[in-house]
Amino acid sequence: VDAIIVEVDGLVFDGDEVSQNRMARAVTAADTMDETTEWTLHDNAVATVTMRQLKQACRLAGEAKTAIWNDGRPAPLGAPGL
């Protein structure tokens, strides 16, 4: 989970849990999804990103985290074939 990285619009973001929390706070505090902020990317380059991009990066990182945590676990109850 600490090594998760995600790409949105050619920008590569860290996707670890600390980064997900930071992204979520920035998006929550924004007035619009088109608002921009300076963000340090995975390679330590600073880029101007939109809240929409941060929201998508946070979502992709969360999905990657869920996939890692669920790897090898039994299918959820009610899943097809159960």
Side-chain angles (χ1 to χ4, degrees):
V1 171
D2 288 338
I4 293 172
I5 58 170
V6 296
E7 185 173 343
V8 175
D9 298 335
L11 303 169
V12 180
F13 295 84
D14 289 317
D16 58 87
E17 290 183 289
V18 170
S19 296
Q20 288 178 48
N21 286 333
R22 289 177 180 152
M23 288 185 263
R25 285 194 311 269
V27 170
T28 300
D31 292 324
T32 70
M33 287 294 105
D34 293 325
E35 190 174 314
T36 62
T37 190
E38 301 291 307
W39 200 264
T40 303
L41 300 173
H42 176 68
D43 66 358
N44 287 324
V46 176
T48 300
V49 301
T50 65
M51 294 302 115
R52 188 175 325 294
Q53 289 170 316
L54 283 181
K55 183 176 179 180
Q56 186 175 2
C58 190
R59 181 178 185 152
L60 292 171
E63 290 171 355
K65 178 178 66 176
T66 298
I68 290 168
W69 284 351
N70 289 341
D71 186 42
R73 291 188 178 177
L77 295 176
L82 293 180

